Amino acid sequence: MAGSQDSGPSPTSPAPVLPLFQRSWFAPTVLLAPTLLWLIFFYIAPIALMVWRGLMDTGLQGYIKIFSSDIYLKVFWNTLQISIITTIGCLVLGYPIAFALTVVGRRLQALILVLVTLPYWLDYVVRSYSWIVLLGRRGLINNILVGLGIVDQPLPLLFNLFSVCVGMIQVLLPIMILALFGAMSRIDRRLMLAAEIHGASRWRAFRTVFFPLSLAGVYSACLLIFISALGFFIVPALIGSPRQTMITQSILVLAETLLNWTDAAALSIVLLVATMVLTIIYDRFFNIDRLWGGDQR
Amino acid sequence: MHNVDPADLKTAAGAGVRLVGVSKAFRGTLAIDDISLNIEPGSFVSLLGPSGSGKTTTLNMIAGFVTPDAGQLLFDDKPITDIPPHKRNIGMVFQSYALFPHMTVFDNVAYPLRMRTKLRKDELGERVREALQLVRLSGFEDRYPRQLSGGQQQRVSMARALVGRPRLLLMDEPLGALDKKLRDELQVEIKEIHRKLGSTFIYVTHDQTEALTMSDAVVVMRNAQVAQFGSPREVYEEPENTFVASFLGNANLLPAKVVAADGQGQTVRLSNGAALTLPSGGRRTFIAGSDVMLLLRPEDLALAAPGTADSATLNGTLHEMLFFGDSYKLIVDIGSDTLMLWASPREIADLSVGAPVRVAWDAGRAGLLPAGE
C-alpha cells in the first residue's frame, strides 16, 4: 500500500498526467480501504488508546509493577509453563496423526479429517466442563482406577496443572493436526521413493528425508499453538485452580473486578508484544519453508 | 576435462532383468497386462509408448514401488518380487529429479553410499567427487538443489543414481522437463555413461527419437501390453503392426489388397487402382485376397527422375509443400490416400501445389502389415 505510492513523473520520461482512477496506487487503496478502516476503528484505535491512556495516567508505573510483583511473575510463569506443555503435548499427539493422514488412502483420510474436526461442532466451554465428569474425584477415570484396585485413593486429576493442560491440548490438538497436515502434504512423496530406491528402509527414509523436511511445518505449527495457548482463559478458569491463573484471567480480574485499568492495560500490552514477537518469528520460519521448496508444485 | 578412469566405476556387470507373465491392475483397470520381457545384462533398453501405455508402471514394478498382481520378476534369474526397493541395489533417476531439497549436492550424491555402505569419510568423499566428475558437475558440492538449473539438477540426480555402482539403473523420462538442446546434449552423455559403467539401463520415454538413438533394444508399449520388443532398427524397419509403424518415425500407411502372392513376390492393389509388386523374401506373406496396410517410409520415397519406369512410381498430385530450410516436406494425393515425402530444394525446381507428380518408391524397403487397428 505505502510501497505502491506514486513517486511522481520520473525525470527521464515525462509521464503523462493520468486521471486519478488510473494511477497505480488508486485501485489497491480503494479496494483495501473498507478493511483498513474497519481494522483501524475496531482494533488499532482501541489498542492505541489503551496504551496512550495507560501511559498518560500513570506513566510506566503499571509496567514497573507488573515486572516487579511476585504475583504477576507467577502468572507469567504459569502462562509460559502451561503453553509450553500444551504445545509439546499437541505436537507429540498430533505429529503421528498428521503423518498417518498423508499416507492413508483418500477415503480413510476424509474420515480421519472429519473425526479431527468433529470436536469443533461442540462449544469448548461444554467440552471443558465434560472433563470435570471424567477427571473429578468421583469421575469416570478415578472410579475405574479405584474400582479395579489400581489405586487406593482417587488421584488428584482435576483443578490442577494436569487438567488445565489436558483441556487445552484437547482444544488445540485439531489445529495442530491440520497445520502439520498442511505442511506435510506439501512434501513431495517421490522424495521418499528416491530415498528407498537408494538404500533407505522406510524408517530411515522417514528419519533422513521426511522428518527434516517436516520440521519447518513443525516449527510454525508449534508457534501457532503456543501463541493461541498464551491467550487462553476459559479452560484454566473452568478446570484449573487459582494456582494455574494465566495472563488473560488476570487481565479479566483486574479490569472487571478490581477496576485497576492501569495494570490491566500494561498486562495486555505485554501479552500483545509477546504475541507479536512470536508472530514475526513464525513469519520467518514460514519463509524458511519456502526456501526449501516446500511449497513448490 | 574429466579424467575419471572408467575402470574405477565399472560395475561388476549389468544385471539381467526378466519379467514373466507380469500383470497389475489399479482399481480394476489393467496397467500391465501379462507382460514378459527378457532384458540382457548390460544393455540399454527403452520402454517407449504413449502416456498410459504402462511403461512407468513397469519401471516402478522393477524398482519395487509397485507389487505385481501376477507373474514373476527376476534379477539374474533370482526372483525378487518380495524384496523391498531398498534392498534391490538399484539406482534411479526420476522425472522430477526428486533431489532432497534440504541436502547439498554432496549430501544428495552421498545418500546411497551412506545408506548402503560403511565407507570411511575420505573414501565416501572420493566416490562422490568421482560421480560428480562423471556427470561433469565438479565444484557444485556445496550448492543446494534449488540453486541449480534443471539440467544441473538432472546431472545431480544421475550422479546420485550411479554413485553406488548399481548393476541396474532406472530412468523415468529423465530429460522430459528439459529443453531440446540440453536434451540432445544429455542424451549423448547418458549413452557415454552407460558405456563406461556397464550397468543395465532401463529408460522410460515417450520420445521415439530418444528411444531409437540411445537404446540397444526398444520395448514399444501400448494399452498395457508389449506391442514389439526388438533392436531400434528392427522396430523401425520391421514393425509388427501399424501402431508400431506409425509411433516410430513418420510412416505412410496405405490400405491395400493382396491380389497375387507367389514365389515372385506379392502384388497389392491400392485404393486408386495402382498395382505394386513387392519382391519375395519379406518377413510376412499374406494370401491373395487379404486386406493389408502398405508401409512406405518417407525416406524410401523420392520424386521420380524423368524416365523412371512406371512400375516403380506412383502418380499423384502435389497437395502441399512445406519449406524446412534444408528440405521440403511434400504431401502428395494419390487417389483417396496421401503420401508424405521429403525433397531437396534443388529437386523442387518449379513445382507448385496442384501439379502432377511421380513418386518413386523402393519396392525392397516397402513393407506389408496386417490391416486393422
Short mmCIF file of all heavy atoms in Angstrom, two decimals, chain B residues 150-208:
data_model
loop_
_atom_site.label_atom_id
_atom_site.label_comp_id
_atom_site.label_asym_id
_atom_site.label_seq_id
_atom_site.Cartn_x
_atom_site.Cartn_y
_atom_site.Cartn_z
N GLY B 150 17.71 -26.71 -14.20
CA GLY B 150 17.09 -28.01 -14.44
C GLY B 150 18.09 -29.05 -14.92
O GLY B 150 18.13 -30.17 -14.43
N GLY B 151 18.94 -28.66 -15.86
CA GLY B 151 19.93 -29.58 -16.40
C GLY B 151 20.93 -30.02 -15.33
O GLY B 151 21.32 -31.19 -15.27
N GLN B 152 21.31 -29.08 -14.48
CA GLN B 152 22.27 -29.42 -13.41
C GLN B 152 21.63 -30.34 -12.39
O GLN B 152 22.25 -31.29 -11.91
CB GLN B 152 22.78 -28.14 -12.75
CG GLN B 152 23.71 -27.34 -13.65
CD GLN B 152 23.97 -25.94 -13.10
OE1 GLN B 152 23.17 -25.40 -12.35
NE2 GLN B 152 25.08 -25.37 -13.50
N GLN B 153 20.36 -30.07 -12.05
CA GLN B 153 19.66 -30.94 -11.10
C GLN B 153 19.58 -32.35 -11.66
O GLN B 153 19.74 -33.33 -10.95
CB GLN B 153 18.24 -30.42 -10.85
CG GLN B 153 18.21 -29.12 -10.10
CD GLN B 153 16.81 -28.73 -9.66
OE1 GLN B 153 15.95 -29.58 -9.46
NE2 GLN B 153 16.57 -27.46 -9.52
N GLN B 154 19.35 -32.43 -12.96
CA GLN B 154 19.27 -33.72 -13.62
C GLN B 154 20.60 -34.46 -13.49
O GLN B 154 20.64 -35.66 -13.23
CB GLN B 154 18.93 -33.47 -15.08
CG GLN B 154 18.07 -34.54 -15.71
CD GLN B 154 18.83 -35.79 -15.90
OE1 GLN B 154 20.03 -35.74 -16.05
NE2 GLN B 154 18.12 -36.90 -15.86
N ARG B 155 21.71 -33.73 -13.64
CA ARG B 155 23.02 -34.36 -13.52
C ARG B 155 23.26 -34.85 -12.09
O ARG B 155 23.82 -35.92 -11.88
CB ARG B 155 24.13 -33.37 -13.90
CG ARG B 155 24.22 -33.11 -15.38
CD ARG B 155 25.03 -31.85 -15.62
NE ARG B 155 24.75 -31.30 -16.94
CZ ARG B 155 25.53 -31.51 -18.00
NH1 ARG B 155 26.59 -32.25 -17.89
NH2 ARG B 155 25.21 -30.99 -19.15
N VAL B 156 22.84 -34.04 -11.11
CA VAL B 156 23.00 -34.47 -9.71
C VAL B 156 22.21 -35.76 -9.49
O VAL B 156 22.69 -36.72 -8.88
CB VAL B 156 22.50 -33.39 -8.73
CG1 VAL B 156 22.59 -33.88 -7.30
CG2 VAL B 156 23.28 -32.10 -8.90
N SER B 157 21.01 -35.77 -10.04
CA SER B 157 20.15 -36.93 -9.91
C SER B 157 20.82 -38.17 -10.52
O SER B 157 20.75 -39.27 -9.97
CB SER B 157 18.82 -36.61 -10.61
OG SER B 157 18.01 -37.73 -10.66
N MET B 158 21.52 -37.98 -11.63
CA MET B 158 22.24 -39.09 -12.26
C MET B 158 23.40 -39.53 -11.38
O MET B 158 23.64 -40.73 -11.20
CB MET B 158 22.79 -38.65 -13.61
CG MET B 158 21.71 -38.41 -14.63
SD MET B 158 21.93 -39.47 -16.03
CE MET B 158 23.39 -38.75 -16.69
N ALA B 159 24.14 -38.54 -10.85
CA ALA B 159 25.28 -38.87 -10.00
C ALA B 159 24.82 -39.67 -8.79
O ALA B 159 25.44 -40.66 -8.40
CB ALA B 159 26.00 -37.60 -9.56
N ARG B 160 23.68 -39.27 -8.21
CA ARG B 160 23.15 -39.99 -7.05
C ARG B 160 22.77 -41.41 -7.43
O ARG B 160 22.99 -42.35 -6.67
CB ARG B 160 21.93 -39.25 -6.49
CG ARG B 160 21.32 -39.94 -5.28
CD ARG B 160 20.12 -39.21 -4.73
NE ARG B 160 19.01 -39.18 -5.68
CZ ARG B 160 17.86 -38.55 -5.46
NH1 ARG B 160 17.68 -37.90 -4.33
NH2 ARG B 160 16.90 -38.56 -6.36
N ALA B 161 22.21 -41.56 -8.64
CA ALA B 161 21.76 -42.88 -9.05
C ALA B 161 22.93 -43.82 -9.31
O ALA B 161 22.83 -45.02 -9.08
CB ALA B 161 20.90 -42.76 -10.30
N LEU B 162 24.06 -43.28 -9.78
CA LEU B 162 25.13 -44.19 -10.18
C LEU B 162 26.28 -44.26 -9.20
O LEU B 162 27.19 -45.08 -9.36
CB LEU B 162 25.63 -43.84 -11.59
CG LEU B 162 26.11 -42.43 -11.90
CD1 LEU B 162 27.54 -42.23 -11.46
CD2 LEU B 162 25.99 -42.16 -13.39
N VAL B 163 26.27 -43.43 -8.15
CA VAL B 163 27.40 -43.39 -7.22
C VAL B 163 27.61 -44.73 -6.52
O VAL B 163 28.73 -45.13 -6.23
CB VAL B 163 27.23 -42.25 -6.18
CG1 VAL B 163 26.15 -42.58 -5.18
CG2 VAL B 163 28.53 -41.95 -5.49
N GLY B 164 26.53 -45.44 -6.28
CA GLY B 164 26.64 -46.72 -5.59
C GLY B 164 26.99 -47.87 -6.53
O GLY B 164 26.97 -49.02 -6.13
N ARG B 165 27.32 -47.53 -7.76
CA ARG B 165 27.65 -48.51 -8.78
C ARG B 165 26.62 -49.63 -8.85
O ARG B 165 26.94 -50.82 -8.73
CB ARG B 165 29.03 -49.12 -8.52
CG ARG B 165 30.11 -48.07 -8.56
CD ARG B 165 31.43 -48.59 -8.10
NE ARG B 165 32.30 -47.46 -7.75
CZ ARG B 165 33.51 -47.61 -7.23
NH1 ARG B 165 34.00 -48.81 -7.03
NH2 ARG B 165 34.23 -46.56 -6.94
N PRO B 166 25.36 -49.24 -9.01
CA PRO B 166 24.33 -50.27 -9.07
C PRO B 166 24.45 -51.04 -10.38
O PRO B 166 24.94 -50.51 -11.37
CB PRO B 166 23.02 -49.46 -9.06
CG PRO B 166 23.39 -48.17 -9.69
CD PRO B 166 24.82 -47.91 -9.29
N ARG B 167 24.00 -52.26 -10.37
CA ARG B 167 24.09 -53.07 -11.58
C ARG B 167 22.91 -52.78 -12.49
O ARG B 167 22.90 -53.19 -13.64
CB ARG B 167 24.14 -54.55 -11.20
CG ARG B 167 25.38 -54.86 -10.34
CD ARG B 167 25.45 -56.31 -9.98
NE ARG B 167 25.39 -57.12 -11.18
CZ ARG B 167 24.83 -58.31 -11.25
NH1 ARG B 167 24.27 -58.82 -10.18
NH2 ARG B 167 24.82 -58.98 -12.37
N LEU B 168 21.92 -52.07 -11.92
CA LEU B 168 20.76 -51.71 -12.72
C LEU B 168 20.40 -50.26 -12.46
O LEU B 168 20.32 -49.82 -11.31
CB LEU B 168 19.58 -52.62 -12.32
CG LEU B 168 18.24 -52.31 -12.98
CD1 LEU B 168 18.30 -52.46 -14.48
CD2 LEU B 168 17.16 -53.21 -12.41
N LEU B 169 20.23 -49.51 -13.52
CA LEU B 169 19.88 -48.10 -13.39
C LEU B 169 18.55 -47.86 -14.09
O LEU B 169 18.40 -48.21 -15.26
CB LEU B 169 20.96 -47.24 -14.04
CG LEU B 169 21.11 -45.86 -13.42
CD1 LEU B 169 22.10 -45.91 -12.28
CD2 LEU B 169 21.56 -44.86 -14.45
N LEU B 170 17.60 -47.28 -13.36
CA LEU B 170 16.28 -46.99 -13.94
C LEU B 170 16.15 -45.50 -14.19
O LEU B 170 16.54 -44.70 -13.34
CB LEU B 170 15.17 -47.45 -12.99
CG LEU B 170 15.24 -48.90 -12.51
CD1 LEU B 170 14.08 -49.18 -11.55
CD2 LEU B 170 15.20 -49.86 -13.67
N MET B 171 15.63 -45.14 -15.33
CA MET B 171 15.43 -43.72 -15.61
C MET B 171 14.01 -43.50 -16.11
O MET B 171 13.59 -44.09 -17.09
CB MET B 171 16.40 -43.25 -16.69
CG MET B 171 17.83 -43.43 -16.29
SD MET B 171 18.85 -42.38 -17.32
CE MET B 171 20.38 -43.23 -17.15
N ASP B 172 13.30 -42.61 -15.40
CA ASP B 172 11.90 -42.35 -15.75
C ASP B 172 11.81 -41.00 -16.46
O ASP B 172 11.78 -39.97 -15.81
CB ASP B 172 11.05 -42.35 -14.47
CG ASP B 172 9.58 -42.22 -14.78
OD1 ASP B 172 9.21 -42.25 -15.98
OD2 ASP B 172 8.79 -42.08 -13.83
N GLU B 173 11.78 -41.01 -17.75
CA GLU B 173 11.73 -39.78 -18.56
C GLU B 173 12.64 -38.71 -17.99
O GLU B 173 12.19 -37.60 -17.68
CB GLU B 173 10.29 -39.26 -18.64
CG GLU B 173 9.33 -40.32 -19.09
CD GLU B 173 8.20 -39.78 -19.97
OE1 GLU B 173 8.34 -38.67 -20.49
OE2 GLU B 173 7.21 -40.49 -20.14
N PRO B 174 13.92 -39.02 -17.85
CA PRO B 174 14.80 -38.09 -17.13
C PRO B 174 14.98 -36.76 -17.86
O PRO B 174 15.33 -35.77 -17.24
CB PRO B 174 16.13 -38.84 -17.06
CG PRO B 174 16.09 -39.79 -18.21
CD PRO B 174 14.65 -40.17 -18.39
N LEU B 175 14.76 -36.73 -19.16
CA LEU B 175 15.01 -35.50 -19.90
C LEU B 175 13.72 -34.78 -20.26
O LEU B 175 13.74 -33.76 -20.94
CB LEU B 175 15.81 -35.82 -21.18
CG LEU B 175 17.08 -36.63 -20.96
CD1 LEU B 175 17.82 -36.86 -22.26
CD2 LEU B 175 18.00 -35.94 -19.96
N GLY B 176 12.60 -35.32 -19.77
CA GLY B 176 11.30 -34.79 -20.15
C GLY B 176 11.11 -33.31 -19.88
O GLY B 176 10.43 -32.62 -20.63
N ALA B 177 11.73 -32.81 -18.79
CA ALA B 177 11.46 -31.42 -18.40
C ALA B 177 12.47 -30.45 -18.99
O ALA B 177 12.44 -29.27 -18.68
CB ALA B 177 11.45 -31.32 -16.88
N LEU B 178 13.38 -30.93 -19.81
CA LEU B 178 14.45 -30.05 -20.30
C LEU B 178 14.19 -29.59 -21.73
O LEU B 178 13.45 -30.22 -22.47
CB LEU B 178 15.79 -30.80 -20.25
CG LEU B 178 16.17 -31.35 -18.87
CD1 LEU B 178 17.44 -32.14 -18.95
CD2 LEU B 178 16.30 -30.21 -17.88
N ASP B 179 14.85 -28.48 -22.11
CA ASP B 179 14.63 -28.00 -23.49
C ASP B 179 15.44 -28.86 -24.47
O ASP B 179 16.33 -29.60 -24.10
CB ASP B 179 14.93 -26.52 -23.61
CG ASP B 179 16.37 -26.19 -23.31
OD1 ASP B 179 17.26 -26.85 -23.89
OD2 ASP B 179 16.62 -25.29 -22.49
N LYS B 180 15.13 -28.71 -25.74
CA LYS B 180 15.61 -29.64 -26.75
C LYS B 180 17.13 -29.71 -26.83
O LYS B 180 17.71 -30.78 -26.88
CB LYS B 180 15.02 -29.24 -28.11
CG LYS B 180 15.58 -30.04 -29.27
CD LYS B 180 14.53 -30.42 -30.28
CE LYS B 180 15.11 -31.22 -31.42
NZ LYS B 180 16.28 -32.04 -31.12
N LYS B 181 17.77 -28.54 -26.78
CA LYS B 181 19.22 -28.50 -26.94
C LYS B 181 19.91 -29.28 -25.82
O LYS B 181 20.78 -30.11 -26.05
CB LYS B 181 19.68 -27.04 -26.93
CG LYS B 181 21.09 -26.83 -27.38
CD LYS B 181 21.36 -25.35 -27.63
CE LYS B 181 22.83 -25.08 -27.76
NZ LYS B 181 23.56 -25.25 -26.49
N LEU B 182 19.45 -29.01 -24.58
CA LEU B 182 20.01 -29.67 -23.42
C LEU B 182 19.75 -31.17 -23.48
O LEU B 182 20.58 -31.99 -23.10
CB LEU B 182 19.38 -29.06 -22.17
CG LEU B 182 20.12 -29.22 -20.85
CD1 LEU B 182 21.53 -28.72 -20.99
CD2 LEU B 182 19.39 -28.43 -19.78
N ARG B 183 18.56 -31.52 -23.97
CA ARG B 183 18.17 -32.92 -24.07
C ARG B 183 19.12 -33.65 -25.00
O ARG B 183 19.63 -34.72 -24.68
CB ARG B 183 16.75 -33.00 -24.61
CG ARG B 183 15.91 -34.01 -23.91
CD ARG B 183 14.44 -33.83 -24.11
NE ARG B 183 14.03 -33.60 -25.47
CZ ARG B 183 13.05 -32.77 -25.81
NH1 ARG B 183 12.40 -32.12 -24.88
NH2 ARG B 183 12.73 -32.60 -27.06
N ASP B 184 19.40 -33.06 -26.17
CA ASP B 184 20.30 -33.69 -27.13
C ASP B 184 21.67 -33.91 -26.51
O ASP B 184 22.30 -34.95 -26.69
CB ASP B 184 20.42 -32.81 -28.38
CG ASP B 184 19.12 -32.77 -29.16
OD1 ASP B 184 18.23 -33.60 -28.85
OD2 ASP B 184 18.97 -31.90 -30.05
N GLU B 185 22.12 -32.88 -25.75
CA GLU B 185 23.44 -32.96 -25.13
C GLU B 185 23.49 -34.10 -24.12
O GLU B 185 24.42 -34.90 -24.10
CB GLU B 185 23.66 -31.64 -24.38
CG GLU B 185 24.91 -30.89 -24.71
CD GLU B 185 24.88 -29.58 -23.97
OE1 GLU B 185 25.22 -29.53 -22.77
OE2 GLU B 185 24.45 -28.60 -24.60
N LEU B 186 22.46 -34.14 -23.27
CA LEU B 186 22.46 -35.13 -22.20
C LEU B 186 22.25 -36.55 -22.73
O LEU B 186 22.74 -37.50 -22.14
CB LEU B 186 21.39 -34.79 -21.15
CG LEU B 186 21.84 -33.69 -20.19
CD1 LEU B 186 20.67 -33.10 -19.43
CD2 LEU B 186 22.86 -34.22 -19.20
N GLN B 187 21.54 -36.68 -23.85
CA GLN B 187 21.38 -38.00 -24.45
C GLN B 187 22.75 -38.61 -24.74
O GLN B 187 23.01 -39.77 -24.43
CB GLN B 187 20.59 -37.89 -25.76
CG GLN B 187 19.10 -37.81 -25.56
CD GLN B 187 18.37 -37.56 -26.86
OE1 GLN B 187 18.94 -37.67 -27.94
NE2 GLN B 187 17.11 -37.21 -26.76
N VAL B 188 23.62 -37.80 -25.32
CA VAL B 188 24.96 -38.28 -25.65
C VAL B 188 25.70 -38.65 -24.36
O VAL B 188 26.34 -39.70 -24.28
CB VAL B 188 25.74 -37.20 -26.43
CG1 VAL B 188 27.16 -37.66 -26.70
CG2 VAL B 188 25.02 -36.86 -27.72
N GLU B 189 25.54 -37.79 -23.33
CA GLU B 189 26.26 -38.06 -22.09
C GLU B 189 25.76 -39.33 -21.40
O GLU B 189 26.55 -40.12 -20.88
CB GLU B 189 26.12 -36.87 -21.13
CG GLU B 189 27.01 -35.72 -21.57
CD GLU B 189 26.96 -34.57 -20.59
OE1 GLU B 189 26.75 -34.81 -19.38
OE2 GLU B 189 27.11 -33.42 -21.05
N ILE B 190 24.45 -39.52 -21.41
CA ILE B 190 23.89 -40.72 -20.77
C ILE B 190 24.40 -41.97 -21.48
O ILE B 190 24.78 -42.96 -20.86
CB ILE B 190 22.34 -40.66 -20.78
CG1 ILE B 190 21.85 -39.57 -19.83
CG2 ILE B 190 21.75 -42.01 -20.39
CD1 ILE B 190 20.36 -39.33 -19.87
N LYS B 191 24.45 -41.88 -22.79
CA LYS B 191 24.93 -43.01 -23.59
C LYS B 191 26.40 -43.32 -23.22
O LYS B 191 26.78 -44.48 -23.05
CB LYS B 191 24.80 -42.63 -25.07
CG LYS B 191 24.91 -43.76 -26.04
CD LYS B 191 23.72 -44.70 -25.98
CE LYS B 191 24.12 -46.01 -26.63
NZ LYS B 191 23.65 -47.18 -25.95
N GLU B 192 27.19 -42.25 -23.09
CA GLU B 192 28.60 -42.42 -22.74
C GLU B 192 28.74 -43.05 -21.37
O GLU B 192 29.56 -43.95 -21.16
CB GLU B 192 29.26 -41.04 -22.68
CG GLU B 192 30.10 -40.71 -23.89
CD GLU B 192 30.66 -39.30 -23.75
OE1 GLU B 192 31.21 -38.96 -22.66
OE2 GLU B 192 30.52 -38.55 -24.71
N ILE B 193 27.92 -42.55 -20.42
CA ILE B 193 27.98 -43.08 -19.06
C ILE B 193 27.61 -44.56 -19.07
O ILE B 193 28.24 -45.37 -18.39
CB ILE B 193 27.03 -42.27 -18.14
CG1 ILE B 193 27.63 -40.89 -17.89
CG2 ILE B 193 26.80 -42.99 -16.82
CD1 ILE B 193 26.70 -39.92 -17.21
N HIS B 194 26.62 -44.91 -19.86
CA HIS B 194 26.22 -46.32 -19.95
C HIS B 194 27.40 -47.17 -20.41
O HIS B 194 27.68 -48.23 -19.85
CB HIS B 194 25.04 -46.48 -20.91
CG HIS B 194 24.71 -47.91 -21.20
ND1 HIS B 194 24.85 -48.48 -22.44
CD2 HIS B 194 24.26 -48.90 -20.37
CE1 HIS B 194 24.50 -49.76 -22.38
NE2 HIS B 194 24.14 -50.02 -21.14
N ARG B 195 28.11 -46.69 -21.40
CA ARG B 195 29.24 -47.45 -21.92
C ARG B 195 30.33 -47.59 -20.86
O ARG B 195 30.92 -48.65 -20.68
CB ARG B 195 29.80 -46.76 -23.16
CG ARG B 195 30.18 -47.75 -24.26
CD ARG B 195 30.76 -47.13 -25.51
NE ARG B 195 30.76 -45.70 -25.59
CZ ARG B 195 29.84 -44.98 -26.26
NH1 ARG B 195 28.87 -45.59 -26.88
NH2 ARG B 195 29.93 -43.67 -26.28
N LYS B 196 30.57 -46.50 -20.12
CA LYS B 196 31.63 -46.53 -19.11
C LYS B 196 31.28 -47.46 -17.95
O LYS B 196 32.13 -48.15 -17.42
CB LYS B 196 31.87 -45.12 -18.55
CG LYS B 196 32.68 -44.24 -19.48
CD LYS B 196 32.88 -42.88 -18.84
CE LYS B 196 33.42 -41.89 -19.85
NZ LYS B 196 33.28 -40.50 -19.38
N LEU B 197 30.01 -47.44 -17.54
CA LEU B 197 29.62 -48.19 -16.33
C LEU B 197 29.40 -49.66 -16.59
O LEU B 197 29.72 -50.50 -15.75
CB LEU B 197 28.33 -47.61 -15.74
CG LEU B 197 28.40 -46.24 -15.10
CD1 LEU B 197 27.06 -45.89 -14.49
CD2 LEU B 197 29.49 -46.21 -14.03
N GLY B 198 28.78 -49.97 -17.71
CA GLY B 198 28.48 -51.37 -17.99
C GLY B 198 27.26 -51.89 -17.25
O GLY B 198 26.96 -53.08 -17.31
N SER B 199 26.54 -51.02 -16.54
CA SER B 199 25.31 -51.46 -15.87
C SER B 199 24.20 -51.61 -16.90
O SER B 199 24.29 -51.09 -18.01
CB SER B 199 24.83 -50.43 -14.85
OG SER B 199 25.88 -49.94 -14.10
N THR B 200 23.15 -52.29 -16.49
CA THR B 200 21.95 -52.35 -17.32
C THR B 200 21.17 -51.07 -17.12
O THR B 200 20.96 -50.65 -15.98
CB THR B 200 21.09 -53.55 -16.89
OG1 THR B 200 21.92 -54.71 -16.88
CG2 THR B 200 19.93 -53.76 -17.83
N PHE B 201 20.76 -50.42 -18.20
CA PHE B 201 19.96 -49.21 -18.10
C PHE B 201 18.56 -49.50 -18.62
O PHE B 201 18.42 -50.05 -19.71
CB PHE B 201 20.55 -48.07 -18.96
CG PHE B 201 21.68 -47.30 -18.31
CD1 PHE B 201 22.64 -47.94 -17.55
CD2 PHE B 201 21.78 -45.93 -18.49
CE1 PHE B 201 23.68 -47.24 -16.97
CE2 PHE B 201 22.83 -45.21 -17.92
CZ PHE B 201 23.78 -45.86 -17.15
N ILE B 202 17.55 -49.14 -17.84
CA ILE B 202 16.18 -49.21 -18.35
C ILE B 202 15.63 -47.80 -18.35
O ILE B 202 15.61 -47.12 -17.32
CB ILE B 202 15.30 -50.16 -17.51
CG1 ILE B 202 15.91 -51.56 -17.52
CG2 ILE B 202 13.88 -50.21 -18.08
CD1 ILE B 202 15.15 -52.57 -16.71
N TYR B 203 15.21 -47.37 -19.51
CA TYR B 203 14.95 -45.96 -19.76
C TYR B 203 13.52 -45.79 -20.27
O TYR B 203 13.17 -46.32 -21.31
CB TYR B 203 15.95 -45.51 -20.82
CG TYR B 203 16.06 -44.04 -21.07
CD1 TYR B 203 17.08 -43.30 -20.50
CD2 TYR B 203 15.18 -43.41 -21.92
CE1 TYR B 203 17.19 -41.95 -20.76
CE2 TYR B 203 15.29 -42.06 -22.19
CZ TYR B 203 16.30 -41.33 -21.60
OH TYR B 203 16.43 -39.99 -21.86
N VAL B 204 12.71 -45.06 -19.51
CA VAL B 204 11.33 -44.83 -19.94
C VAL B 204 11.23 -43.51 -20.69
O VAL B 204 11.77 -42.50 -20.24
CB VAL B 204 10.38 -44.79 -18.72
CG1 VAL B 204 9.04 -44.17 -19.10
CG2 VAL B 204 10.16 -46.19 -18.19
N THR B 205 10.60 -43.53 -21.83
CA THR B 205 10.44 -42.29 -22.59
C THR B 205 9.20 -42.38 -23.47
O THR B 205 8.74 -43.47 -23.79
CB THR B 205 11.68 -42.00 -23.45
OG1 THR B 205 11.47 -40.79 -24.16
CG2 THR B 205 11.97 -43.12 -24.42
N HIS B 206 8.67 -41.20 -23.81
CA HIS B 206 7.61 -41.22 -24.82
C HIS B 206 8.12 -40.59 -26.11
O HIS B 206 7.39 -40.40 -27.04
CB HIS B 206 6.36 -40.50 -24.30
CG HIS B 206 6.58 -39.05 -24.04
ND1 HIS B 206 6.85 -38.56 -22.79
CD2 HIS B 206 6.61 -38.00 -24.86
CE1 HIS B 206 7.03 -37.25 -22.86
NE2 HIS B 206 6.89 -36.88 -24.11
N ASP B 207 9.43 -40.28 -26.12
CA ASP B 207 10.06 -39.64 -27.27
C ASP B 207 10.72 -40.72 -28.12
O ASP B 207 11.73 -41.30 -27.74
CB ASP B 207 11.09 -38.63 -26.75
CG ASP B 207 11.79 -37.90 -27.88
OD1 ASP B 207 11.85 -38.45 -29.01
OD2 ASP B 207 12.30 -36.80 -27.64
N GLN B 208 10.15 -40.99 -29.30
CA GLN B 208 10.64 -42.11 -30.11
C GLN B 208 12.07 -41.90 -30.60
O GLN B 208 12.85 -42.85 -30.65
CB GLN B 208 9.68 -42.35 -31.29
CG GLN B 208 9.12 -41.10 -31.91
CD GLN B 208 9.66 -40.86 -33.29
OE1 GLN B 208 10.53 -41.55 -33.76
NE2 GLN B 208 9.12 -39.84 -33.93
#
